[in-house]
Amino acid sequence: EDQVTQSPEALRLQEGESSSLNCSYTVSGLRGLFWYRQDPGKGPEFLFTLYSAGEEKEKERLKATLTKKESFLHITAPKPEDSATYLCAVQAYKAAGNKLTFGGGTRVLVKP
Amino acid sequence: SQTIHQWPATLVQPVGSPLSLECTVEGTSNPNLYWYRQAAGRGLQLLFYSVGIGQISSEVPQNLSASRPQDRQFILSSKKLLLSDSGFYLCAWKSAGGRASSYEQYFGPGTRLTVT
């Protein structure tokens, strides 16, 4: 069974204080690992897809990396508008219906 | 461009009442469609998915059901709601086909359901 574990559950940062979120996964044949951002009361917003170990993707202050067992989402010099819950998900090659398995998320609060 | 709509945005229903949530997608054909539920402060739990009209797969046994009467319409229903059905319901779509760049899912705005 595919599993995704995100840590920490919550993260409080000062504006400008860089940090990293962790997503550990077990999957039988990884097709892709996905990062989403979710604001309170809204649907998740797609950020990145990573397909193979060593791959990196960047968007503004966010950088996602992938190894064979985990992914990191690095937030560089965060701003208050980066406050959100960040969700990680995996998809296996054999996933029926191309379904995703999600982790529990990391709630990030960036204080000015 | 593609857009996804969900309605209603919020709903308060008494225990034992029926439920119908609707999701529609615009700007794409034959998408894969998904229903998720998110409990407060938790991750997403996949409830149903559909790869085509009339094709529904259930992930979690419960008193909910799903239907796909049209290519871009996905409906979540219940005959009798339970207190435990409260939550944030999200619909998502994924483009058809197997291109490497098309595996991500895109989510709608969600429906907040409170069963009283």
Side-chain angles (χ1 to χ4, degrees), chain B:
Chain B
S1 64
Q2 299 86 9
T3 56
I4 179 169
H5 305 279
Q6 287 187 245
W7 63 87
T10 61
L11 192 60
V12 180
Q13 293 283 90
V15 169
S17 64
L19 173 73
S20 181
L21 304 181
E22 189 167 341
C23 170
T24 59
V25 181
E26 296 176 355
T28 187
S29 296
N30 195 32
N32 287 4
L33 296 172
Y34 306 86
W35 277 113
Y36 291 88
R37 178 169 58 203
Q38 186 175 35
R42 304 289 297 278
L44 277 66
Q45 178 188 36
L46 180 63
L47 302 176
F48 301 93
Y49 65 89
S50 171
V51 298
I53 296 175
Q55 301 179 58
I56 307 295
S57 296
S58 174
E59 287 293 296
V60 181
Q62 60 220 323
N63 69 320
L64 299 172
S65 62
S67 62
R68 185 171 177 174
Q70 301 180 43
D71 182 42
R72 289 167 288 182
Q73 184 184 32
F74 206 21
I75 296 173
L76 184 68
S77 304
S78 174
K79 292 182 179 179
K80 290 186 178 181
L81 283 168
L82 306 173
L83 285 174
S84 58
D85 291 324
S86 293
F88 191 46
Y89 287 82
L90 290 157
C91 181
W93 71 274
K94 173 202 160 300
S95 65
R99 289 184 299 112
S101 61
S102 64
Y103 291 113
E104 60 270 11
Q105 294 179 13
Y106 297 94
F107 286 83
T111 295
R112 174 73 60 191
L113 172 66
T114 303
V115 182
T116 61

Side-chain angles (χ1 to χ4, degrees), chain A:
Chain A
E1 182 180 343
D2 302 336
Q3 289 189 323
V4 179
T5 303
Q6 292 188 246
S7 62
E9 289 188 3
L11 191 60
R12 295 167 67 96
L13 301 171
Q14 287 295 130
E15 184 173 2
E17 178 189 3
S18 302
S19 188
S20 294
L21 284 56
N22 178 265
C23 171
S24 298
Y25 65 90
T26 55
V27 62
S28 54
L30 179 71
R31 167 176 278 160
L33 184 141
F34 307 83
W35 282 99
Y36 288 84
R37 170 195 169 120
Q38 185 176 25
D39 293 310
K42 297 188 177 181
E45 173 190 351
F46 170 72
L47 292 174
F48 306 109
T49 306
L50 300 168
Y51 293 103
S52 57
E55 188 175 2
E56 299 182 350
K57 294 272 181 77
E58 287 189 71
K59 180 179 181 179
E60 297 181 353
R61 294 175 293 281
L62 301 177
K63 179 180 178 180
T65 62
L66 180 65
T67 72
K68 289 185 178 180
K69 294 184 178 181
E70 57 192 350
S71 177
F72 293 94
L73 184 66
H74 308 278
I75 310 178
T76 301
K79 298 181 177 182
E81 53 261 43
D82 295 321
S83 298
T85 295
Y86 292 87
L87 299 167
C88 172
V90 298
Q91 184 181 89
Y93 276 110
K94 297 182 179 180
N98 298 296
K99 58 187 178 182
L100 303 180
T101 301
F102 279 85
T106 294
R107 297 187 306 277
V108 175
L109 175 64
V110 182
K111 304 184 75 175

